[in-house]
Amino acid sequence: GDIHPPHPRSSPGTASTVAAVPAVLSAVGFTSAGITASSLAAKMMSISAIANGGGVAAGSLVATLQSVGASGLCMSSKLLLGIAGSTLASKLVGL
């Protein structure tokens, strides 16, 4: 039998899902101008800062989401998100 795992398959929604990431981040408050006051992003930042003794740790989820919200996704990030999304979609539909 074949001992190699199956390759992730691209789903039709993968490209549109990846393209929507910056818009979704902006909608929850991770914008190019910074974190929007009273948003979900602001609440996440507050929780993260409290948990880390007053600051948001570099490389944390909040820092990463703000970075993507501020600058958009680079090609490697789009590729990784596309592969992850395809793999998840394949598992969800049983491919």
Side-chain angles (χ1 to χ4, degrees):
D2 188 6
I3 60 170
H4 300 288
H7 294 285
R9 295 183 181 122
S10 182
S11 63
T14 300
S16 60
T17 300
V18 172
V21 169
V24 171
L25 289 176
S26 181
V28 297
F30 294 104
T31 71
S32 60
I35 292 180
T36 305
S38 301
S39 66
L40 175 60
K43 290 176 182 140
M44 289 174 66
M45 182 179 165
S46 175
I47 291 167
S48 179
I50 290 168
N52 289 301
V56 175
S60 68
L61 177 63
V62 172
T64 300
L65 292 175
Q66 180 52 40
S67 177
V68 173
S71 62
L73 294 172
C74 66
M75 185 53 74
S76 61
S77 294
K78 289 178 183 179
L79 179 61
L80 288 173
L81 279 173
I83 291 169
S86 295
T87 301
L88 178 61
S90 293
K91 290 188 183 299
L92 290 175
V93 297
L95 297 176

